[in-house]
Amino acid sequence: MKHILAIETSCDETSVAVIDMDGNVIKERTFSQIEIHKQYGGVVPEVASRSHVVQIQFLLKEISNDFDKTSLVAVAATGGPGLIGGLMVGVMVAKGISFAMGIPFIAVNHLEGHLLSPKIERKDFSYPFVSALMSGGHCQVVLAREFGNYEIIGKTVDDSVGEAFDKIARVLGFDYPGGKYIEQCAKAGDKDKYKFTVPMNETGNCNMSFSGLKTAAINVIKGIGELSEQDKADVSASLQNIIVKTLLIKLNNSITYAKSVMPEVKNLSICGGVASNLEIRSAINDLCQKHGMNMFIPSLRYCTDNASMIAVVALEYYKRELYTEDDFEPVSRWPVDNIKIN
Ligand code: KG4
Ligand code: ZN
């Protein structure tokens, strides 16, 4: 039996996973640093790097009982994009294992990991597909034509959708990261109470903007003054409603574009932390049905950062004998439409 070990340390999750050659994840262990960063209201890069240094050791020891170390044929780590200190930790641990065991090292693009994350659970997920990648750090719609060939159809021109959730959640008094609290709170709210507008709403435009929405929401909150629980619920519901509307319009435009250049596109996926929002999931599911597309959404645990998605990509590289050179350096910016760096 052959296995690949993968490491993810690009932001605030330390994660390790082992995958077999058929693409089955044998084991994954993830440590979330959210409790550590909560007190600062966001991820503090140096604190994150230090935590990765400690946790990676524990996690590797934990999973090492689940496979025979001599079965490893490659070791992968997220090489970017992300916080450079965290990336350094994962890449150096992987390079060390690669040297010690005499197996190739594979640097994986984190965004390609998110794009292929549906594959962890669904073997029928295949190219070509359209994917909406919506996390705290990233917000883009991608047309994935084939392995390694990705076109960014639309992206945010300012804040990511996750950032919009988080920044407004903070003003509402919720903990970081606030997206899930807004979703919970919105359940008791009136989604039509506050009128927000869809930004960049010209016909056919696939790009997004969320900073204006953030300002509009903050103005509404300040205008209310002392917030009751009902006020919080109404703001949350109205905000979530406009975000769902925005994503639907943008994805509708994106699907139309993707089908015009690649009529055989039948699969659509959503990934990244924001994809765990049930309102967003259900609205996009309806959109897929309207377009006759198959919808793929990873389970909640695979929407957020994890090493299983890095392992899935690493396996594709391994099969093609695409190994990373020794002089690879982690990169904080690494666009998914220009993946090949060595
Ligand atoms: O992919 P992720 O875990 O980390 C990054 O790579 O950024 O995404 C985190 C983002 C945060 O902005 C968080 O507020 C948002 O995903 N998020 C949600 C929900 N759960 C997480 N946003 C809306 N609704 C949710 N249920
Ligand atoms: Zn991510």
mmCIF file of all heavy atoms in Angstrom, residues 200-247:
data_model
loop_
_atom_site.group_PDB
_atom_site.id
_atom_site.type_symbol
_atom_site.label_atom_id
_atom_site.label_comp_id
_atom_site.label_asym_id
_atom_site.label_seq_id
_atom_site.Cartn_x
_atom_site.Cartn_y
_atom_site.Cartn_z
ATOM 1 N N MET A 200 -22.080 46.480 -8.025
ATOM 2 C CA MET A 200 -21.578 46.094 -9.353
ATOM 3 C C MET A 200 -22.594 45.216 -10.081
ATOM 4 O O MET A 200 -22.274 44.111 -10.521
ATOM 5 C CB MET A 200 -20.230 45.373 -9.244
ATOM 6 C CG MET A 200 -19.191 46.198 -8.518
ATOM 7 S SD MET A 200 -17.576 45.419 -8.429
ATOM 8 C CE MET A 200 -17.045 45.494 -10.100
ATOM 9 N N ASN A 201 -23.805 45.744 -10.175
ATOM 10 C CA ASN A 201 -24.908 44.926 -10.686
ATOM 11 C C ASN A 201 -25.170 45.102 -12.188
ATOM 12 O O ASN A 201 -26.281 44.908 -12.657
ATOM 13 C CB ASN A 201 -26.174 45.234 -9.878
ATOM 14 C CG ASN A 201 -27.211 44.147 -10.028
ATOM 15 O OD1 ASN A 201 -26.921 43.078 -10.576
ATOM 16 N ND2 ASN A 201 -28.420 44.390 -9.570
ATOM 17 N N GLU A 202 -24.139 45.514 -12.945
ATOM 18 C CA GLU A 202 -24.353 45.650 -14.391
ATOM 19 C C GLU A 202 -24.551 44.247 -14.995
ATOM 20 O O GLU A 202 -23.957 43.285 -14.518
ATOM 21 C CB GLU A 202 -23.146 46.303 -15.094
ATOM 22 C CG GLU A 202 -22.686 47.619 -14.505
ATOM 23 C CD GLU A 202 -21.676 47.418 -13.386
ATOM 24 O OE1 GLU A 202 -20.711 46.670 -13.587
ATOM 25 O OE2 GLU A 202 -21.870 47.999 -12.307
ATOM 26 N N THR A 203 -25.348 44.196 -16.051
ATOM 27 C CA THR A 203 -25.667 42.909 -16.664
ATOM 28 C C THR A 203 -24.401 42.161 -17.072
ATOM 29 O O THR A 203 -23.519 42.733 -17.712
ATOM 30 C CB THR A 203 -26.522 43.133 -17.930
ATOM 31 O OG1 THR A 203 -27.495 44.094 -17.609
ATOM 32 C CG2 THR A 203 -27.179 41.850 -18.391
ATOM 33 N N GLY A 204 -24.326 40.929 -16.684
ATOM 34 C CA GLY A 204 -23.227 40.079 -17.128
ATOM 35 C C GLY A 204 -21.946 40.198 -16.319
ATOM 36 O O GLY A 204 -21.034 39.402 -16.484
ATOM 37 N N ASN A 205 -21.887 41.180 -15.422
ATOM 38 C CA ASN A 205 -20.647 41.372 -14.661
ATOM 39 C C ASN A 205 -20.462 40.242 -13.633
ATOM 40 O O ASN A 205 -21.353 39.950 -12.843
ATOM 41 C CB ASN A 205 -20.705 42.728 -13.949
ATOM 42 C CG ASN A 205 -19.364 43.136 -13.375
ATOM 43 O OD1 ASN A 205 -18.539 42.281 -13.054
ATOM 44 N ND2 ASN A 205 -19.149 44.430 -13.256
ATOM 45 N N CYS A 206 -19.300 39.623 -13.658
ATOM 46 C CA CYS A 206 -19.044 38.522 -12.716
ATOM 47 C C CYS A 206 -18.202 38.960 -11.519
ATOM 48 O O CYS A 206 -17.977 38.180 -10.600
ATOM 49 C CB CYS A 206 -18.343 37.370 -13.427
ATOM 50 S SG CYS A 206 -19.307 36.654 -14.755
ATOM 51 N N ASN A 207 -17.695 40.188 -11.543
ATOM 52 C CA ASN A 207 -16.903 40.653 -10.401
ATOM 53 C C ASN A 207 -17.811 41.093 -9.254
ATOM 54 O O ASN A 207 -18.983 41.394 -9.460
ATOM 55 C CB ASN A 207 -15.982 41.807 -10.810
ATOM 56 C CG ASN A 207 -14.789 41.294 -11.601
ATOM 57 O OD1 ASN A 207 -14.385 40.142 -11.436
ATOM 58 N ND2 ASN A 207 -14.246 42.127 -12.458
ATOM 59 N N MET A 208 -17.229 41.090 -8.057
ATOM 60 C CA MET A 208 -18.009 41.412 -6.857
ATOM 61 C C MET A 208 -17.321 42.502 -6.056
ATOM 62 O O MET A 208 -16.110 42.707 -6.200
ATOM 63 C CB MET A 208 -18.098 40.172 -5.955
ATOM 64 C CG MET A 208 -18.882 39.043 -6.530
ATOM 65 S SD MET A 208 -18.483 37.498 -5.706
ATOM 66 C CE MET A 208 -17.356 36.766 -6.867
ATOM 67 N N SER A 209 -18.099 43.159 -5.211
ATOM 68 C CA SER A 209 -17.533 44.142 -4.293
ATOM 69 C C SER A 209 -18.311 44.036 -2.992
ATOM 70 O O SER A 209 -19.541 43.956 -3.013
ATOM 71 C CB SER A 209 -17.682 45.545 -4.888
ATOM 72 O OG SER A 209 -17.541 46.504 -3.859
ATOM 73 N N PHE A 210 -17.607 43.989 -1.875
ATOM 74 C CA PHE A 210 -18.309 43.868 -0.596
ATOM 75 C C PHE A 210 -17.984 44.983 0.396
ATOM 76 O O PHE A 210 -18.561 45.041 1.467
ATOM 77 C CB PHE A 210 -18.030 42.495 0.046
ATOM 78 C CG PHE A 210 -18.693 41.363 -0.692
ATOM 79 C CD1 PHE A 210 -17.965 40.553 -1.552
ATOM 80 C CD2 PHE A 210 -20.058 41.132 -0.560
ATOM 81 C CE1 PHE A 210 -18.571 39.522 -2.260
ATOM 82 C CE2 PHE A 210 -20.681 40.106 -1.264
ATOM 83 C CZ PHE A 210 -19.936 39.300 -2.108
ATOM 84 N N SER A 211 -17.049 45.890 0.024
ATOM 85 C CA SER A 211 -16.671 46.898 1.023
ATOM 86 C C SER A 211 -17.783 47.939 1.209
ATOM 87 O O SER A 211 -17.989 48.447 2.306
ATOM 88 C CB SER A 211 -15.342 47.554 0.670
ATOM 89 O OG SER A 211 -15.510 48.391 -0.433
ATOM 90 N N GLY A 212 -18.524 48.233 0.126
ATOM 91 C CA GLY A 212 -19.628 49.190 0.233
ATOM 92 C C GLY A 212 -20.738 48.651 1.136
ATOM 93 O O GLY A 212 -21.333 49.381 1.932
ATOM 94 N N LEU A 213 -20.975 47.361 1.028
ATOM 95 C CA LEU A 213 -21.997 46.711 1.853
ATOM 96 C C LEU A 213 -21.614 46.793 3.333
ATOM 97 O O LEU A 213 -22.451 47.064 4.200
ATOM 98 C CB LEU A 213 -22.132 45.251 1.412
ATOM 99 C CG LEU A 213 -23.105 44.389 2.194
ATOM 100 C CD1 LEU A 213 -24.512 44.947 2.116
ATOM 101 C CD2 LEU A 213 -23.075 42.954 1.673
ATOM 102 N N LYS A 214 -20.329 46.582 3.569
ATOM 103 C CA LYS A 214 -19.828 46.666 4.944
ATOM 104 C C LYS A 214 -20.101 48.070 5.501
ATOM 105 O O LYS A 214 -20.641 48.220 6.600
ATOM 106 C CB LYS A 214 -18.324 46.368 4.931
ATOM 107 C CG LYS A 214 -17.648 46.452 6.265
ATOM 108 C CD LYS A 214 -16.138 46.449 6.081
ATOM 109 C CE LYS A 214 -15.649 47.718 5.407
ATOM 110 N NZ LYS A 214 -14.279 47.668 4.928
ATOM 111 N N THR A 215 -19.768 49.101 4.723
ATOM 112 C CA THR A 215 -19.984 50.481 5.168
ATOM 113 C C THR A 215 -21.479 50.740 5.373
ATOM 114 O O THR A 215 -21.878 51.335 6.385
ATOM 115 C CB THR A 215 -19.437 51.473 4.105
ATOM 116 O OG1 THR A 215 -18.137 51.023 3.739
ATOM 117 C CG2 THR A 215 -19.364 52.884 4.637
ATOM 118 N N ALA A 216 -22.298 50.278 4.426
ATOM 119 C CA ALA A 216 -23.750 50.497 4.534
ATOM 120 C C ALA A 216 -24.297 49.839 5.802
ATOM 121 O O ALA A 216 -25.103 50.429 6.539
ATOM 122 C CB ALA A 216 -24.452 49.948 3.299
ATOM 123 N N ALA A 217 -23.834 48.614 6.064
ATOM 124 C CA ALA A 217 -24.333 47.888 7.243
ATOM 125 C C ALA A 217 -23.877 48.575 8.523
ATOM 126 O O ALA A 217 -24.656 48.712 9.480
ATOM 127 C CB ALA A 217 -23.846 46.447 7.215
ATOM 128 N N ILE A 218 -22.647 49.031 8.525
ATOM 129 C CA ILE A 218 -22.134 49.699 9.732
ATOM 130 C C ILE A 218 -22.914 50.995 9.982
ATOM 131 O O ILE A 218 -23.259 51.318 11.118
ATOM 132 C CB ILE A 218 -20.607 49.929 9.609
ATOM 133 C CG1 ILE A 218 -19.896 48.565 9.713
ATOM 134 C CG2 ILE A 218 -20.096 50.884 10.693
ATOM 135 C CD1 ILE A 218 -18.425 48.570 9.429
ATOM 136 N N ASN A 219 -23.261 51.704 8.912
ATOM 137 C CA ASN A 219 -24.072 52.916 9.065
ATOM 138 C C ASN A 219 -25.449 52.603 9.637
ATOM 139 O O ASN A 219 -25.947 53.317 10.510
ATOM 140 C CB ASN A 219 -24.212 53.654 7.727
ATOM 141 C CG ASN A 219 -22.915 54.371 7.372
ATOM 142 O OD1 ASN A 219 -22.087 54.645 8.240
ATOM 143 N ND2 ASN A 219 -22.731 54.652 6.096
ATOM 144 N N VAL A 220 -26.053 51.522 9.143
ATOM 145 C CA VAL A 220 -27.361 51.109 9.671
ATOM 146 C C VAL A 220 -27.241 50.802 11.165
ATOM 147 O O VAL A 220 -28.054 51.252 11.986
ATOM 148 C CB VAL A 220 -27.889 49.865 8.905
ATOM 149 C CG1 VAL A 220 -29.014 49.181 9.670
ATOM 150 C CG2 VAL A 220 -28.367 50.256 7.513
ATOM 151 N N ILE A 221 -26.202 50.067 11.528
ATOM 152 C CA ILE A 221 -26.015 49.660 12.936
ATOM 153 C C ILE A 221 -25.816 50.897 13.820
ATOM 154 O O ILE A 221 -26.421 51.028 14.880
ATOM 155 C CB ILE A 221 -24.827 48.678 13.054
ATOM 156 C CG1 ILE A 221 -25.162 47.371 12.323
ATOM 157 C CG2 ILE A 221 -24.490 48.403 14.522
ATOM 158 C CD1 ILE A 221 -23.970 46.464 12.059
ATOM 159 N N LYS A 222 -24.990 51.824 13.331
ATOM 160 C CA LYS A 222 -24.740 53.053 14.111
ATOM 161 C C LYS A 222 -26.027 53.859 14.245
ATOM 162 O O LYS A 222 -26.300 54.446 15.285
ATOM 163 C CB LYS A 222 -23.663 53.897 13.432
ATOM 164 C CG LYS A 222 -22.262 53.339 13.679
ATOM 165 C CD LYS A 222 -21.209 54.349 13.276
ATOM 166 C CE LYS A 222 -19.815 53.778 13.519
ATOM 167 N NZ LYS A 222 -18.878 54.168 12.482
ATOM 168 N N GLY A 223 -26.817 53.871 13.172
ATOM 169 C CA GLY A 223 -28.089 54.615 13.180
ATOM 170 C C GLY A 223 -29.066 54.061 14.201
ATOM 171 O O GLY A 223 -29.885 54.794 14.768
ATOM 172 N N ILE A 224 -29.005 52.758 14.456
ATOM 173 C CA ILE A 224 -29.927 52.145 15.428
ATOM 174 C C ILE A 224 -29.522 52.541 16.850
ATOM 175 O O ILE A 224 -30.361 52.770 17.708
ATOM 176 C CB ILE A 224 -29.936 50.596 15.292
ATOM 177 C CG1 ILE A 224 -30.402 50.171 13.902
ATOM 178 C CG2 ILE A 224 -30.830 49.966 16.359
ATOM 179 C CD1 ILE A 224 -30.235 48.693 13.600
ATOM 180 N N GLY A 225 -28.211 52.649 17.057
ATOM 181 C CA GLY A 225 -27.731 52.967 18.413
ATOM 182 C C GLY A 225 -27.646 51.710 19.256
ATOM 183 O O GLY A 225 -27.036 50.726 18.827
ATOM 184 N N GLU A 226 -28.273 51.740 20.436
ATOM 185 C CA GLU A 226 -28.278 50.554 21.321
ATOM 186 C C GLU A 226 -29.008 49.404 20.616
ATOM 187 O O GLU A 226 -30.191 49.537 20.287
ATOM 188 C CB GLU A 226 -28.995 50.916 22.618
ATOM 189 C CG GLU A 226 -28.927 49.864 23.702
ATOM 190 C CD GLU A 226 -27.650 49.982 24.539
ATOM 191 O OE1 GLU A 226 -27.029 51.064 24.545
ATOM 192 O OE2 GLU A 226 -27.301 48.986 25.164
ATOM 193 N N LEU A 227 -28.315 48.276 20.408
ATOM 194 C CA LEU A 227 -28.913 47.193 19.609
ATOM 195 C C LEU A 227 -29.655 46.186 20.492
ATOM 196 O O LEU A 227 -29.074 45.635 21.432
ATOM 197 C CB LEU A 227 -27.822 46.428 18.861
ATOM 198 C CG LEU A 227 -27.106 47.133 17.698
ATOM 199 C CD1 LEU A 227 -25.935 46.281 17.225
ATOM 200 C CD2 LEU A 227 -28.060 47.372 16.535
ATOM 201 N N SER A 228 -30.920 45.950 20.191
ATOM 202 C CA SER A 228 -31.641 44.868 20.873
ATOM 203 C C SER A 228 -31.309 43.559 20.146
ATOM 204 O O SER A 228 -30.748 43.576 19.040
ATOM 205 C CB SER A 228 -33.151 45.114 20.809
ATOM 206 O OG SER A 228 -33.585 44.994 19.467
ATOM 207 N N GLU A 229 -31.693 42.431 20.726
ATOM 208 C CA GLU A 229 -31.464 41.139 20.060
ATOM 209 C C GLU A 229 -32.214 41.095 18.735
ATOM 210 O O GLU A 229 -31.736 40.553 17.749
ATOM 211 C CB GLU A 229 -31.910 39.977 20.956
ATOM 212 C CG GLU A 229 -30.988 39.701 22.142
ATOM 213 C CD GLU A 229 -29.516 39.580 21.745
ATOM 214 O OE1 GLU A 229 -29.195 38.750 20.869
ATOM 215 O OE2 GLU A 229 -28.681 40.325 22.303
ATOM 216 N N GLN A 230 -33.428 41.705 18.722
ATOM 217 C CA GLN A 230 -34.216 41.709 17.491
ATOM 218 C C GLN A 230 -33.533 42.558 16.409
ATOM 219 O O GLN A 230 -33.515 42.167 15.234
ATOM 220 C CB GLN A 230 -35.642 42.240 17.776
ATOM 221 C CG GLN A 230 -36.594 42.051 16.606
ATOM 222 C CD GLN A 230 -36.724 40.572 16.176
ATOM 223 O OE1 GLN A 230 -36.914 39.695 17.004
ATOM 224 N NE2 GLN A 230 -36.574 40.297 14.877
ATOM 225 N N ASP A 231 -32.937 43.700 16.824
ATOM 226 C CA ASP A 231 -32.201 44.533 15.851
ATOM 227 C C ASP A 231 -31.067 43.717 15.217
ATOM 228 O O ASP A 231 -30.863 43.740 14.010
ATOM 229 C CB ASP A 231 -31.576 45.760 16.538
ATOM 230 C CG ASP A 231 -32.628 46.765 17.013
ATOM 231 O OD1 ASP A 231 -33.689 46.832 16.371
ATOM 232 O OD2 ASP A 231 -32.368 47.448 18.018
ATOM 233 N N LYS A 232 -30.339 43.012 16.081
ATOM 234 C CA LYS A 232 -29.204 42.207 15.575
ATOM 235 C C LYS A 232 -29.697 41.158 14.578
ATOM 236 O O LYS A 232 -29.074 40.921 13.546
ATOM 237 C CB LYS A 232 -28.487 41.497 16.734
ATOM 238 C CG LYS A 232 -27.674 42.422 17.600
ATOM 239 C CD LYS A 232 -26.888 41.593 18.614
ATOM 240 C CE LYS A 232 -26.189 42.483 19.612
ATOM 241 N NZ LYS A 232 -25.411 41.743 20.589
ATOM 242 N N ALA A 233 -30.832 40.544 14.931
ATOM 243 C CA ALA A 233 -31.379 39.507 14.052
ATOM 244 C C ALA A 233 -31.828 40.115 12.725
ATOM 245 O O ALA A 233 -31.580 39.537 11.650
ATOM 246 C CB ALA A 233 -32.555 38.809 14.741
ATOM 247 N N ASP A 234 -32.452 41.294 12.772
ATOM 248 C CA ASP A 234 -32.925 41.935 11.537
ATOM 249 C C ASP A 234 -31.759 42.367 10.643
ATOM 250 O O ASP A 234 -31.809 42.180 9.423
ATOM 251 C CB ASP A 234 -33.812 43.150 11.874
ATOM 252 C CG ASP A 234 -35.140 42.737 12.511
ATOM 253 O OD1 ASP A 234 -35.534 41.563 12.345
ATOM 254 O OD2 ASP A 234 -35.764 43.581 13.179
ATOM 255 N N VAL A 235 -30.729 42.941 11.266
ATOM 256 C CA VAL A 235 -29.554 43.341 10.466
ATOM 257 C C VAL A 235 -28.913 42.085 9.863
ATOM 258 O O VAL A 235 -28.586 42.047 8.671
ATOM 259 C CB VAL A 235 -28.512 44.120 11.324
ATOM 260 C CG1 VAL A 235 -27.242 44.367 10.518
ATOM 261 C CG2 VAL A 235 -29.087 45.441 11.816
ATOM 262 N N SER A 236 -28.752 41.044 10.685
ATOM 263 C CA SER A 236 -28.129 39.803 10.197
ATOM 264 C C SER A 236 -28.913 39.211 9.029
ATOM 265 O O SER A 236 -28.336 38.822 8.006
ATOM 266 C CB SER A 236 -28.051 38.758 11.320
ATOM 267 O OG SER A 236 -27.220 39.210 12.352
ATOM 268 N N ALA A 237 -30.242 39.160 9.182
ATOM 269 C CA ALA A 237 -31.074 38.556 8.137
ATOM 270 C C ALA A 237 -31.027 39.395 6.862
ATOM 271 O O ALA A 237 -30.924 38.847 5.752
ATOM 272 C CB ALA A 237 -32.513 38.416 8.634
ATOM 273 N N SER A 238 -31.083 40.722 6.991
ATOM 274 C CA SER A 238 -31.061 41.598 5.812
ATOM 275 C C SER A 238 -29.718 41.491 5.102
ATOM 276 O O SER A 238 -29.645 41.470 3.871
ATOM 277 C CB SER A 238 -31.301 43.053 6.216
ATOM 278 O OG SER A 238 -32.505 43.178 6.923
ATOM 279 N N LEU A 239 -28.677 41.426 5.904
ATOM 280 C CA LEU A 239 -27.333 41.323 5.344
ATOM 281 C C LEU A 239 -27.139 39.994 4.615
ATOM 282 O O LEU A 239 -26.670 39.944 3.464
ATOM 283 C CB LEU A 239 -26.321 41.429 6.493
ATOM 284 C CG LEU A 239 -24.888 41.188 6.089
ATOM 285 C CD1 LEU A 239 -24.370 42.412 5.371
ATOM 286 C CD2 LEU A 239 -24.024 40.888 7.300
ATOM 287 N N GLN A 240 -27.537 38.920 5.290
ATOM 288 C CA GLN A 240 -27.393 37.601 4.674
ATOM 289 C C GLN A 240 -28.208 37.524 3.383
ATOM 290 O O GLN A 240 -27.767 36.966 2.375
ATOM 291 C CB GLN A 240 -27.862 36.535 5.658
ATOM 292 C CG GLN A 240 -27.680 35.127 5.159
ATOM 293 C CD GLN A 240 -27.943 34.107 6.245
ATOM 294 O OE1 GLN A 240 -27.039 33.645 6.903
ATOM 295 N NE2 GLN A 240 -29.196 33.763 6.441
ATOM 296 N N ASN A 241 -29.380 38.143 3.412
ATOM 297 C CA ASN A 241 -30.257 38.151 2.248
ATOM 298 C C ASN A 241 -29.574 38.823 1.046
ATOM 299 O O ASN A 241 -29.600 38.293 -0.074
ATOM 300 C CB ASN A 241 -31.551 38.889 2.620
ATOM 301 C CG ASN A 241 -32.541 38.901 1.471
ATOM 302 O OD1 ASN A 241 -32.752 37.880 0.831
ATOM 303 N ND2 ASN A 241 -33.133 40.050 1.204
ATOM 304 N N ILE A 242 -28.931 39.966 1.277
ATOM 305 C CA ILE A 242 -28.316 40.674 0.143
ATOM 306 C C ILE A 242 -27.063 39.925 -0.333
ATOM 307 O O ILE A 242 -26.750 39.908 -1.524
ATOM 308 C CB ILE A 242 -28.008 42.157 0.477
ATOM 309 C CG1 ILE A 242 -27.752 42.958 -0.805
ATOM 310 C CG2 ILE A 242 -26.843 42.317 1.403
ATOM 311 C CD1 ILE A 242 -28.981 43.167 -1.638
ATOM 312 N N ILE A 243 -26.383 39.260 0.598
ATOM 313 C CA ILE A 243 -25.203 38.483 0.195
ATOM 314 C C ILE A 243 -25.642 37.291 -0.660
ATOM 315 O O ILE A 243 -25.053 37.005 -1.704
ATOM 316 C CB ILE A 243 -24.367 38.043 1.427
ATOM 317 C CG1 ILE A 243 -23.664 39.278 2.008
ATOM 318 C CG2 ILE A 243 -23.355 36.962 1.060
ATOM 319 C CD1 ILE A 243 -22.802 39.032 3.223
ATOM 320 N N VAL A 244 -26.706 36.623 -0.240
ATOM 321 C CA VAL A 244 -27.237 35.505 -1.037
ATOM 322 C C VAL A 244 -27.624 36.006 -2.424
ATOM 323 O O VAL A 244 -27.254 35.418 -3.450
ATOM 324 C CB VAL A 244 -28.459 34.848 -0.338
ATOM 325 C CG1 VAL A 244 -29.172 33.891 -1.275
ATOM 326 C CG2 VAL A 244 -28.028 34.117 0.927
ATOM 327 N N LYS A 245 -28.332 37.155 -2.471
ATOM 328 C CA LYS A 245 -28.767 37.721 -3.752
ATOM 329 C C LYS A 245 -27.572 38.029 -4.644
ATOM 330 O O LYS A 245 -27.570 37.721 -5.839
ATOM 331 C CB LYS A 245 -29.524 39.032 -3.494
ATOM 332 C CG LYS A 245 -31.016 38.899 -3.568
ATOM 333 C CD LYS A 245 -31.637 40.298 -3.593
ATOM 334 C CE LYS A 245 -33.122 40.175 -3.362
ATOM 335 N NZ LYS A 245 -33.720 41.403 -2.872
ATOM 336 N N THR A 246 -26.561 38.661 -4.039
ATOM 337 C CA THR A 246 -25.353 39.031 -4.795
ATOM 338 C C THR A 246 -24.689 37.785 -5.374
ATOM 339 O O THR A 246 -24.350 37.734 -6.564
ATOM 340 C CB THR A 246 -24.344 39.763 -3.866
ATOM 341 O OG1 THR A 246 -25.014 40.858 -3.263
ATOM 342 C CG2 THR A 246 -23.132 40.256 -4.638
ATOM 343 N N LEU A 247 -24.526 36.774 -4.530
ATOM 344 C CA LEU A 247 -23.858 35.558 -4.998
ATOM 345 C C LEU A 247 -24.665 34.879 -6.103
ATOM 346 O O LEU A 247 -24.096 34.362 -7.072
ATOM 347 C CB LEU A 247 -23.609 34.591 -3.830
ATOM 348 C CG LEU A 247 -22.609 35.098 -2.778
ATOM 349 C CD1 LEU A 247 -22.553 34.141 -1.596
ATOM 350 C CD2 LEU A 247 -21.209 35.267 -3.379
#
